[in-house]
Amino acid sequence: MRRTAVALTLLAALSCGSFAGSQAVSAASAPAGGGGAVGGGRGTNILVVGIDSRAGLSAAEKRRLHVGGKGCNCTDVMMLVHLSQNRRRASIVSIPRDSYVEYAATTAPAAGPARRGKINGAFALGGGPLTVATVEKATGLRIDHYLETGFTGFEQTVDNLGGATVCTDRPLKDENSGLDIGAGRHLADGNRALRYVRARHVNLRPGDLGRVRRQQRVVNDLLARLTAEGALAGPISTARTVRTLLKTVRTDERTGLDDLVRIGWALGHLRADRTEFATVPIRLFDHRVPGVGSTLVWDEARSAALWAALGADRPITGDTRIQPVAENPVPADPARIAVRVDDAEVAAALRGNGFAVTDSSATAPAVRPPGPPVVRYATGREDDAATVAAALPGSRTRVDPELDAVVEVTVGDRPVRVTSVTFDRNVADGAPVTAGRLRCAEAPAAAGAARPGGAAVPSGRR
C-alpha cells in the first residue's frame, strides 16, 4: 500500500471494527436537524471515523487482535480534521466516543425522535449521515468530507509501512487490549500498535483521553515519516495511492479522488508547528445517565471556544479560552494521591488542598532534620511527587524504591508554606499542542525492546 493511503487511512483506522468495501456514504443526504452548522468558505472540515464492529472476524482473528466480545456497530474513533483556507495549517481534534450530546433529528422509523446519548451511538441510529449531522449539531461546524473505515486493515497497513512508533515514559499494561510495553520508544508491528491505540484500561490514567492521545501520537509520527520520505510530495503519486485508499475507505458522495489528493498533498507539506492536535475539553468525566451509562460532558465554554476558533479558521494552540493558563498547574489529581506527612499543621493544610493525607506527626523525630521539606516517592510515582512538591514551594523530591503508593513528606527545620494547586485532566491528556510536542523524543529502542512480547519484525516498506 502506498504511503499516502496509509496516512489518511490511519486517521480513521484507529478503531475496533472491520474494513468495509468501498461504498459511498451520503453526508449530503443526512437528515435535517443539523442545527447551527455554518457554511464553508473558511477552511475544510473532514470527519474521520472508525467503526466498532466484529462482523466477519473469525475466532482466531479475534484472539490474535485481542478484540473479543461483541461490537456495538458504533463509532469507536472520531477525529475532526480542519485544513485552513490557505492550506498552511491543520488542526486535528479528537472527539471522545463517550461524549454526551444531543443527536440530530432522524427519520428512521426505529430510531424515534431526536434524543441525547453518547456520540458514538449516532452511527447505530443512522449510519454515516446521522453521525455527520450530529457532529455538525454539536460543534456548529459544517462537515465538508466524511471518511469511514474499521481496523482489520490496520495491522497490515502498519506492517506495510514498516511499523509504527509508539512511546511512553513509563511501562503501560492493559489486559483488555493486550498492551504490555516498557518505557521508551518502540517500533511496533501492526498487532502491537493496534493494542497501543485501543487500550482504555492502562495502569496510567485509564480512560478515553489517554487512549485518544496515544492515537494522536501514532498519527503524528506517521505523517512526519511520510513527509520526511517524500511520500506526499507530488500530486501524481498522491493520486495513484489515493485510488488504493478508496478500496478500503468509505467516503460521502461529495468526496472524490481530487478532494483526497488535495487533502493528502496539503498534509504532506505542513511544518510541525503548523499541525495541531487536541481533544475536546471535558467538564465531567463520569456523568452517569440512566440507560446510557458513564458519559463525558464537554466543558461548555472551552469547547465552544474550540469550535469557534475552527469556524473562524484560527489556530487552537495558545488560545487561553480553549486552554486557560492555571496559576499553579500540576500533573496529577491531588484527590488520588495518598500522602503521609509528619507535621500536623502541614498535613491539615495539604488535606485542605484536596490531598488524601495521613498525619504521622505522632512518630516524628523530636529534632527536625535541617533544610526544607523532603518529598519521597516510589519509582513510577513521579507525577504524584511533582504534584505534592508544587504544593510545598522549595521542597525537594527524592525517589525511594522501598516506598509503595504513598508519597511521604518529611518536614525539616525551615518554615513551610503550603500553596494551592490546580489539576486539569484536559491539560494532562488533551490540551492543544503542536506536532513537535507530541513527537517521541527518545532514541529508537533496541531491536528486542522494539518488539515487546516477541512481536514479529514489521515487514519492509512498500
Side-chain angles (χ1 to χ4, degrees):
M1 179 181 289
R2 295 281 183 170
R3 299 192 212 13
T4 304
V6 170
L8 293 175
T9 300
L10 281 168
L11 284 174
L14 303 171
S15 63
C16 304
S18 57
F19 271 110
S22 180
Q23 177 181 340
V25 177
S26 175
S29 61
V38 297
R42 291 197 170 187
T44 302
N45 296 317
I46 308 110
L47 183 64
V48 187
V49 303
I51 308 304
D52 181 345
S53 171
R54 318 296 157 88
L57 288 179
S58 67
E61 287 174 319
K62 289 180 180 180
R63 286 193 298 271
R64 189 188 78 250
L65 298 174
H66 220 87
V67 291
K70 186 178 181 180
C72 63
N73 191 36
C74 60
T75 53
D76 192 56
V77 171
M78 184 177 290
M79 291 183 175
L80 197 159
V81 183
H82 174 82
L83 287 176
S84 65
Q85 183 70 20
N86 62 10
R87 295 297 191 265
R88 294 180 180 176
R89 184 182 64 257
S91 303
I92 302 173
V93 179
S94 294
I95 302 176
R97 53 173 286 162
D98 293 337
S99 298
Y100 189 53
V101 299
E102 183 176 280
Y103 299 137
T106 176
T107 56
R115 62 178 188 268
R116 298 183 67 85
K118 296 181 181 181
I119 200 166
N120 68 344
F123 188 88
L125 293 175
L130 186 62
T131 298
V132 168
T134 296
V135 170
E136 289 185 335
K137 182 173 186 175
T139 66
L141 299 173
R142 172 64 57 83
I143 301 302
D144 301 294
H145 302 290
Y146 172 84
L147 286 79
E148 170 198 313
T149 189
F151 82 22
T152 51
F154 181 89
E155 185 178 30
Q156 180 183 355
T157 300
V158 171
D159 287 341
N160 285 346
L161 188 60
T165 300
V166 301
C167 60
T168 174
D169 58 0
R170 65 197 67 185
L172 291 179
K173 188 172 183 178
D174 175 23
E175 293 183 1
N176 290 55
S177 73
L179 175 67
D180 188 3
I181 63 172
R185 173 174 172 164
H186 308 268
L187 180 63
D189 65 3
N191 186 280
R192 300 290 168 178
L194 182 62
R195 298 181 184 201
Y196 176 82
V197 299
R198 288 188 59 242
R200 300 181 69 192
H201 304 278
V202 293
N203 50 303
L204 172 66
R205 285 200 293 266
D208 244 11
L209 265 66
R211 180 183 78 139
V212 164
R213 195 55 120 186
R214 289 192 296 277
Q215 295 166 359
Q216 294 172 356
R217 287 183 185 277
V218 170
V219 170
N220 180 37
D221 174 77
L222 285 165
L223 288 175
R225 289 171 59 189
L226 300 181
T227 301
E229 294 172 2
L232 305 174
I236 296 177
S237 60
T238 303
R240 186 183 306 119
T241 56
V242 164
R243 290 192 182 96
T244 302
L245 171 70
L246 291 175
K247 296 178 181 178
T248 54
V249 175
R250 299 185 182 203
T251 68
D252 66 292
E253 62 187 15
R254 297 172 298 176
T255 303
L257 177 66
D258 56 339
D259 298 301
L260 295 179
V261 169
R262 283 195 294 267
I263 292 169
W265 198 11
L267 289 172
H269 287 75
L270 292 174
R271 296 178 349 207
D273 62 347
R274 294 298 186 93
T275 305
E276 308 172 305
F277 290 85
T279 302
V280 182
I282 305 299
R283 178 171 61 85
L284 298 176
F285 286 88
D286 187 19
H287 178 58
R288 299 281 173 162
V289 180
V292 178
S294 177
T295 69
L296 300 173
V297 175
W298 295 353
D299 185 291
E300 291 83 354
R302 291 161 68 172
S303 63
L306 171 65
W307 308 131
L310 295 181
D313 205 22
R314 299 194 310 264
I316 58 176
T317 49
D319 190 330
T320 56
R321 295 169 302 174
I322 301 171
Q323 187 59 67
V325 179
E327 184 176 348
N328 193 14
V330 291
D333 185 356
R336 296 179 177 271
I337 302 176
V339 187
R340 189 160 50 232
V341 187
D342 68 352
D343 181 275
E345 291 185 8
V346 175
L350 286 174
R351 189 179 295 113
N353 280 340
F355 290 90
V357 178
T358 298
D359 182 352
S360 63
S361 58
T363 58
V367 179
R368 292 288 179 180
V374 175
V375 178
R376 294 189 300 122
Y377 63 96
T379 303
R381 296 279 174 175
E382 290 79 8
D383 285 353
D384 289 355
T387 300
V388 174
L392 300 170
S395 60
R396 299 172 182 171
T397 58
R398 183 178 302 163
V399 65
D400 185 344
E402 295 185 1
L403 286 177
D404 48 20
V406 177
V407 176
E408 286 200 351
V409 175
T410 302
V411 175
D413 62 358
R414 297 182 186 176
V416 179
R417 180 170 66 92
V418 180
T419 185
S420 297
V421 296
T422 302
F423 171 71
D424 185 345
R425 187 171 169 185
N426 293 292
V427 174
D429 291 321
V433 294
T434 54
R437 292 280 303 277
L438 282 186
R439 205 159 290 163
C440 297
E442 301 90 351
R451 301 185 299 278
V457 179
S459 58
R461 294 181 179 85
R462 291 177 173 83

